[in-house]
Amino acid sequence: MRVSNHFKIIVHLCSFLIVLYSLTMIPPMLVALYEKEQSLFSFALCFFIFFCGGLFIWLKTKIKDIQLKTRDGFIIIALFWLLFSLISTLPLWLNEQLNMRFVDALFEGVSGITTTGASVFHNVTDLPKSILYYRAQLNFVGGLGVIVLAVAVLPLLGIGGMKLYQSEMPGPFKEEKLTPRLASTARNLWFTYILLGGLCILAFKIAGMSFFDALCHGLSTVSLGGFSTYSESIGYFNSAKIEFVAGLFSLLSAVNFTLYFASLAKFSLRPLLTNPEFRFFITVALLVIGLITFETWRSNMYSFPDAFIHSFFLTSSMITDNGLATADYAQWPQHIIVLLLFSSFFGGCVGSTCGGIKAIRFLILYKQSRQEIHQLIHPKSVSSVRVGDSIITSRLLNSVWSFFFLYTLCACFFIWCLSMMGYDLITAFATVAACLNNMGLGFGETVAGFGEITDSAKYLMCLAMLLGRLEIYTLLVLLSASFWRN
């Protein structure tokens, strides 16, 4: 009976999340209706199927006073992200105007919802406006996660959502909350996220974009998703102002959103400026921007002012795993591109929409390495690893090291698989960096897009995108035999 009840609550909650996510089909439906596009049918059909089907199952599986356990949270996250990906895929696959194969639609849908931004389309510019908007919306919704939005209303369902929230949120400090109540935390995160998105849209509009372009690029920039309305991405506009806005909001969106909320609540920048992870992230980002600026200038590609603005934008975009790009980034010297691809593994802060390993983990590993050097010099000294005023426990340190190992192992495995499929090393490395880090920009054979890679490679990279979005453990834990034991 206990197993039956827990299975029922998992189905019940998944069906509710499907109903919630089906509502995201309404805005692109309205765009298609306004533009008189055929896409209206595919969006309307998906909305009808998933809203009605999800609502029916939700009503049939009602159950009261069941608290989610840790195992339930992992199962629901894994199941729903698989459903998430399928639902995101279907409007593209069912659209006769696009004429997409399922594997291509799946790759595009997974890329959008995981905020990767890698695309199979050869010519984005000529896509229907409803599709362009839908791709940007996929980025925005996937950025913070429908799961975090859902926990704001979970108390209304009589379901404890803390385990779900911890499974979804990235980073090693999953226990931290902005407010004592989980629902308030989720609402505050979304308020901050939407506020930053609105500011980004306004900034793009002031910089010279049309409203539609500003809307789509604002949604994809704040989510660090990278989908653009043009094949040339930001390079289409050939505008220093727009590149500066895109670079600036890429960095701002890679900051822990809880710090923004704390600063707004206290009307002070102190919570932001005193945060060790934020200071470490900005320091590393500025160092890489400075190095790339010098290298592009030294290579006689641009004058120094142009080298700075292009380097500021592209470095900010790639280190935060945004994936917006200039039109000519593929012509940059290879050693610069390789450095930028490596920097995409760094990512941004926890509690943001970025991919990658995250700054806090690198900071902890850096502190640990310093301590080891100190211990070798002074064997009898007793010291501990600290980040700010917090002592890093051995449990947390082990968690960071194991995550770093698994992340590196997954990257090596995917690179090996692509190499085995016949791709050269630079293509394999760049493609894995783009997908596992949710960064979206390829190099080598994928520099012009991911449409030409084999179907097997596309399915493999879909898995890489999901692993990167859910930070490895959420999916790998399901493969453990002990996870399924009662």
Side-chain angles (χ1 to χ4, degrees):
M1 184 66 179
R2 181 174 60 86
V3 175
S4 176
N5 280 346
H6 276 286
F7 175 77
K8 194 173 182 180
I9 199 64
I10 288 171
V11 173
H12 179 66
L13 185 51
C14 281
S15 63
F16 166 73
L17 294 173
I18 289 173
V19 170
L20 189 66
Y21 186 54
S22 70
L23 299 177
T24 64
M25 299 294 165
I26 296 176
M29 280 172 56
L30 296 176
V31 175
L33 183 64
Y34 179 79
E35 297 290 337
K36 298 181 175 61
E37 294 173 347
Q38 297 177 7
S39 305
L40 175 63
F41 171 75
S42 59
F43 288 122
L45 181 62
C46 290
F47 169 73
F48 178 79
I49 290 173
F50 292 110
F51 181 82
C52 295
L55 186 62
F56 176 78
I57 297 173
W58 179 67
L59 293 173
K60 286 292 184 180
T61 55
K62 273 194 173 181
I63 193 167
K64 295 181 179 180
D65 302 324
I66 294 291
Q67 287 290 318
L68 288 175
K69 295 184 177 181
T70 300
R71 185 171 65 175
D72 301 327
F74 282 114
I75 293 173
I76 290 170
I77 293 297
L79 282 176
F80 187 68
W81 271 90
L82 292 175
L83 293 170
F84 223 11
S85 302
L86 180 62
I87 297 171
S88 302
T89 297
L90 289 182
L92 301 171
W93 185 48
L94 295 174
N95 192 314
E96 295 182 358
Q97 187 177 359
L98 298 179
N99 193 29
M100 297 184 75
R101 297 182 307 134
F102 178 79
V103 62
D104 292 327
L106 179 66
F107 187 94
E108 194 79 12
V110 173
S111 178
I113 207 63
T114 57
T115 70
T116 301
S119 181
V120 297
F121 287 113
H122 294 290
N123 185 4
V124 172
T125 308
D126 293 335
L127 290 177
K129 280 195 171 183
S130 57
I131 298 297
L132 292 174
Y133 170 78
Y134 176 65
R135 294 165 78 245
Q137 182 184 271
L138 281 179
N139 282 170
F140 190 73
V141 173
L144 200 56
V146 165
I147 309 300
V148 180
L149 174 64
V151 296
V153 294
L154 284 179
L156 301 177
L157 305 177
I159 300 170
M162 190 60 203
K163 295 302 180 185
L164 196 63
Y165 175 80
Q166 289 179 354
S167 300
E168 164 69 4
M169 288 303 291
F173 301 109
K174 293 175 183 288
E175 300 83 5
E176 294 183 359
K177 297 184 290 183
L178 284 79
T179 60
R181 293 183 61 84
L182 183 59
S184 298
T185 296
R187 284 194 295 268
N188 293 334
L189 283 172
W190 269 99
F191 169 77
T192 308
Y193 186 52
I194 292 172
L195 177 62
L196 187 63
L199 292 174
C200 185
I201 293 168
L202 179 62
F204 273 131
K205 184 69 176 69
I206 293 173
M209 284 188 181
S210 67
F211 174 75
F212 181 78
D213 287 338
L215 174 64
C216 292
H217 285 91
L219 295 180
S220 60
T221 298
V222 169
S223 62
L224 298 176
F227 275 153
S228 175
T229 54
Y230 298 98
S231 300
E232 302 88 347
S233 191
I234 291 294
Y236 168 85
F237 299 97
N238 193 26
S239 167
K241 291 180 181 179
I242 289 176
E243 286 189 33
F244 179 77
V245 169
L248 176 63
F249 276 91
S250 293
L251 293 176
L252 291 175
S253 301
V255 175
N256 190 330
F257 282 92
T258 63
L259 297 179
Y260 287 136
F261 180 78
S263 297
L264 288 172
K266 297 179 179 180
F267 293 100
S268 170
L269 291 177
R270 183 174 175 78
L272 192 68
L273 299 178
T274 58
N275 181 264
E277 184 191 22
F278 171 77
R279 295 203 305 267
F280 180 68
F281 164 68
I282 291 298
T283 300
V284 171
L286 291 178
L287 285 174
V288 178
I289 289 169
L291 180 58
I292 298 298
T293 299
F294 175 75
E295 283 299 299
T296 50
W297 173 71
R298 188 179 66 85
S299 301
N300 295 319
M301 294 184 62
Y302 309 106
S303 64
F304 189 81
D306 289 339
F308 170 74
I309 195 66
H310 293 316
S311 298
F312 172 74
F313 160 64
L314 191 59
T315 303
S316 298
S317 180
M318 291 187 72
I319 199 172
T320 62
D321 300 313
N322 187 349
L324 292 171
T326 53
D328 65 341
Y329 87 94
Q331 279 72 54
W332 287 22
Q334 185 167 305
H335 72 283
I336 296 178
I337 297 298
V338 170
L339 175 59
L340 289 172
L341 290 172
F342 271 114
S343 73
S344 70
F345 285 86
F346 181 75
C349 304
V350 298
S352 71
T353 58
C354 70
I357 294 174
K358 305 292 190 301
I360 189 64
R361 292 192 177 99
F362 278 103
L363 178 58
I364 291 172
L365 295 178
Y366 167 71
K367 296 272 189 177
Q368 166 71 3
S369 300
R370 285 188 58 185
Q371 188 201 36
E372 288 298 315
I373 294 173
H374 178 78
Q375 201 74 36
L376 289 172
I377 300 171
H378 306 283
K380 295 183 179 180
S381 66
V382 178
S383 59
S384 58
V385 178
R386 289 177 175 269
V387 174
D389 297 328
S390 303
I391 296 177
I392 303 302
T393 63
S394 58
R395 169 71 183 87
L396 182 57
L397 195 58
N398 290 337
S399 174
V400 171
W401 274 114
S402 63
F403 178 85
F404 187 82
F405 166 75
L406 286 174
Y407 202 95
T408 305
L409 184 66
C410 287
C412 292
F413 171 75
F414 287 126
I415 291 171
W416 176 76
C417 287
L418 290 181
S419 297
M420 187 173 61
M421 292 176 186
Y423 295 100
D424 62 89
L425 186 59
I426 189 66
T427 297
F429 173 66
T431 301
V432 171
C435 295
L436 185 62
N437 297 331
N438 305 129
M439 181 265 294
L441 289 177
F443 197 62
E445 294 182 36
T446 55
V447 69
F450 295 77
E452 297 304 320
I453 62 175
T454 64
D455 291 354
S456 298
K458 288 172 184 172
Y459 283 122
L460 187 68
M461 290 302 98
C462 285
L463 175 60
M465 288 186 273
L466 288 170
L467 278 171
R469 178 65 180 88
L470 295 176
E471 297 214 326
I472 309 292
Y473 279 119
T474 306
L475 292 183
L476 290 187
V477 72
L478 300 180
L479 302 179
S480 171
S482 60
F483 176 84
W484 299 101
R485 294 192 190 115
N486 291 329

